[in-house]
Amino acid sequence: SANSSSFCIDKKNDRLFMVTESGVSVVDPRTQKVITSCYKHIKNRGEFNPFNFDAEHNCWFLADEICFLQINQQQLHVVLSDKPGLFVTVLFIDRSGIVWLGTNGTGIFKLNPRSAGFHHLVPPNSFKSVNKLTALSDGSVIVNTVSPFLLKNEDGREIIHSILPPSLVNVTPVNEIARDTDGSYWCALGYNDLYNYNPQTGVVRQFLKNRTAPPLILGIMFDRAHEMWIGKVENGTARFLHFEPVLNSITDSIEFPIKNVSVGSFIGQVYDDGESFWFATSGGLFRYDHREKLWSHFIADPKDTATLSSNSLLCICPDEKEPGKILWIGSEGGGLNRFDVSTGKVNRIGAKQGLPNQVVYGILTDSSANLWMSTNKGIACYNPVTKTFRSYVQSDGLQSNEFNRFA
């Protein structure tokens, strides 16, 4: 079978990175030519993600061995970790350009790209696996593992602080954790139990206590007004719930207008334009208007070419020049869709227009407003102005033609 592949765009430096198990290629999106390639076997866990760029413009991505791409005078080097068995589960780069790595059983690492070598922050076997790393405004990092802790830099040293008291973490694993503006922590334990812990007072409060069969807490989120939302699934129905701590109650519920929901596979991608949520799903395109609190549902109609080409949607991307007017939507089997937000009308773009394959897994835009798409037949670059395609396959220096979902 073909190697799994992924790609990303470095808009700041106008570079497109293509990564497969066989190596890496870098493309100039302005000239649409391959700048350089490096063939080196990279052990892969099924897909390469996420992509991050550090202060030295190196490109970082996850594989079975943590890798980064080093660009130096048009020379490309794939650098592998010198830590054997380093299975990285989480990677992010903070505002100062420091790379943070959370691993499965071997601790926390950080790396300053301006200097050599990894710095081991947290000793191995101190926890089983890192599920999530969250950077806070004060520079500290929440490490979400079975027993979450806070990683802070104090007098030049990284210090570990336990976040939750034993009475909480010894009961059940922590699924989600978030810090409020007052310094307290909200955490979801098990399937439904929501707790707040104030480290200054030591007070633990339980909210939304289970009464019947527990719905699943998917996430704890704060909106732009710092209102708290939690995501839940119950009996096949997905909801986004506004939670008011003072009242200990749900004050608003956004129910997805479809039943038998499996969140992991139903939603392909979500885009928030500031006024509405847009959901690309396996059941068509959904829009939720925050102000009017109304859903809109857009589906394919074989008899109407101004509708979506398919109901099986994989990705959504706002237009670079007109993000509030045009959305680009990739589908599984229906090619590319140009969606007009104001009219709900669609221009279908497929094989007849030059798209190399009807499966579009992911879409990114560059600084020239070109669309770069991963497909089952390599990478496709589409110019919306000239309405022309340029395809990149193995003969162009791309190491594989077939890409994966979310790539």
Side-chain angles (χ1 to χ4, degrees):
S1 60
N3 291 337
S4 59
S5 310
S6 295
F7 79 107
C8 69
I9 292 179
D10 178 9
K11 291 185 179 182
K12 185 176 181 179
N13 299 287
D14 280 329
R15 298 178 302 185
L16 174 72
F17 291 85
M18 305 176 184
V19 182
T20 73
E21 291 180 358
S22 302
V24 183
S25 296
V26 181
V27 175
D28 185 336
R30 294 169 299 183
T31 62
Q32 300 186 1
K33 293 183 179 180
V34 176
I35 300 172
T36 182
S37 296
C38 178
Y39 292 86
K40 186 169 186 176
H41 180 67
I42 305 171
K43 294 181 182 179
N44 177 30
R45 63 185 60 175
E47 61 183 35
F48 300 98
N49 67 69
F51 289 89
N52 293 270
F53 296 95
D54 63 27
E56 300 299 303
H57 311 300
N58 298 315
C59 177
W60 289 79
F61 59 94
L62 295 186
D64 282 357
E65 301 167 298
I66 182 67
C67 304
F68 71 93
L69 312 178
Q70 193 174 56
I71 304 296
N72 183 14
Q73 296 180 351
Q74 304 301 314
Q75 296 298 312
L76 176 65
H77 305 281
V78 178
V79 183
L80 303 179
S81 167
D82 59 355
K83 306 291 183 182
L86 182 64
F87 191 96
V88 178
T89 56
V90 181
L91 181 154
F92 83 93
I93 298 175
D94 64 24
R95 295 177 181 177
S96 63
I98 301 299
V99 180
W100 296 77
L101 309 174
T103 69
N104 188 358
T106 52
I108 299 289
F109 292 82
K110 80 170 184 178
L111 174 71
N112 186 336
R114 299 178 180 88
S115 61
F118 287 91
H119 175 38
H120 203 168
L121 297 181
V122 181
N125 303 320
S126 56
F127 49 82
K128 291 183 178 181
S129 181
V130 176
N131 302 320
K132 186 178 181 180
L133 296 174
T134 304
L136 303 177
S137 59
D138 61 2
S140 57
V141 176
I142 294 179
V143 181
N144 192 2
T145 181
V146 175
S147 179
F149 58 87
L150 193 67
L151 199 59
K152 298 182 67 175
N153 188 294
E154 297 179 1
D155 299 324
R157 296 189 306 156
E158 281 78 22
I159 306 298
I160 298 174
H161 295 274
S162 296
I163 294 178
L164 303 177
S167 60
L168 286 181
V169 297
N170 290 343
V171 176
T172 184
V174 178
N175 292 330
E176 294 283 344
I177 186 167
R179 190 165 78 175
D180 209 332
T181 52
D182 62 0
S184 66
Y185 292 90
W186 292 92
C187 58
L189 305 183
Y191 287 102
N192 78 313
D193 295 328
L194 181 66
Y195 288 84
N196 178 266
Y197 170 65
N198 189 325
Q200 295 180 347
T201 63
V203 175
V204 176
R205 299 176 62 194
Q206 184 177 6
F207 296 83
L208 301 179
K209 186 176 181 179
N210 178 30
R211 297 180 178 86
T212 57
L216 176 64
I217 294 181
L218 298 174
I220 301 173
M221 298 157 282
F222 295 95
D223 62 20
R224 294 183 180 181
H226 205 73
E227 296 293 324
M228 187 174 173
W229 296 79
I230 57 178
K232 287 194 174 186
V233 172
E234 185 176 18
N235 298 326
T237 299
R239 295 181 177 89
F240 293 95
L241 309 174
H242 177 254
F243 175 66
E244 177 51 64
V246 175
L247 302 176
N248 188 19
S249 64
I250 302 297
T251 59
D252 193 10
S253 175
I254 303 173
E255 180 177 325
F256 222 92
I258 192 168
K259 300 299 181 182
N260 301 318
V261 172
S262 175
V263 175
S265 59
F266 176 70
I267 298 177
Q269 194 170 358
V270 182
Y271 168 63
D272 182 6
D273 65 9
E275 297 180 355
S276 302
F277 287 122
W278 295 86
F279 300 85
T281 78
S282 59
L285 180 68
F286 291 87
R287 175 186 183 181
Y288 181 76
D289 187 305
H290 302 301
R291 182 178 302 175
E292 301 296 331
K293 298 186 177 182
L294 295 175
W295 285 97
S296 301
H297 189 195
F298 305 89
I299 59 175
D301 182 351
K303 299 180 181 180
D304 186 356
T305 59
T307 63
L308 293 167
S309 59
S310 170
N311 285 329
S312 183
L313 307 180
L314 300 177
C315 56
I316 185 168
C317 179
D319 187 78
E320 181 76 10
K321 294 183 178 179
E322 298 179 294
K325 182 179 179 181
I326 302 298
L327 298 178
W328 298 94
I329 303 169
S331 71
E332 186 173 22
L336 178 66
N337 295 267
R338 181 185 183 274
F339 182 85
D340 190 312
V341 173
S342 60
T343 65
K345 301 295 182 180
V346 173
N347 290 335
R348 300 177 180 178
I349 303 170
K352 293 182 179 180
Q353 289 74 35
L355 184 65
N357 185 264
Q358 290 291 89
V359 179
V360 178
Y361 291 112
I363 306 173
L364 295 174
T365 62
D366 61 26
S367 57
S368 300
N370 295 314
L371 302 177
W372 294 82
M373 290 162 279
S374 56
T375 77
N376 275 339
K377 288 188 178 180
I379 296 291
C381 180
Y382 179 66
N383 186 321
V385 177
T386 62
K387 298 182 179 181
T388 56
F389 279 94
R390 167 75 188 274
S391 297
Y392 295 86
V393 293
Q394 285 179 303
S395 59
D396 295 301
L398 182 61
Q399 286 80 20
S400 176
N401 287 337
E402 185 172 346
F403 284 69
N404 292 332
R405 190 176 186 185
F406 306 121

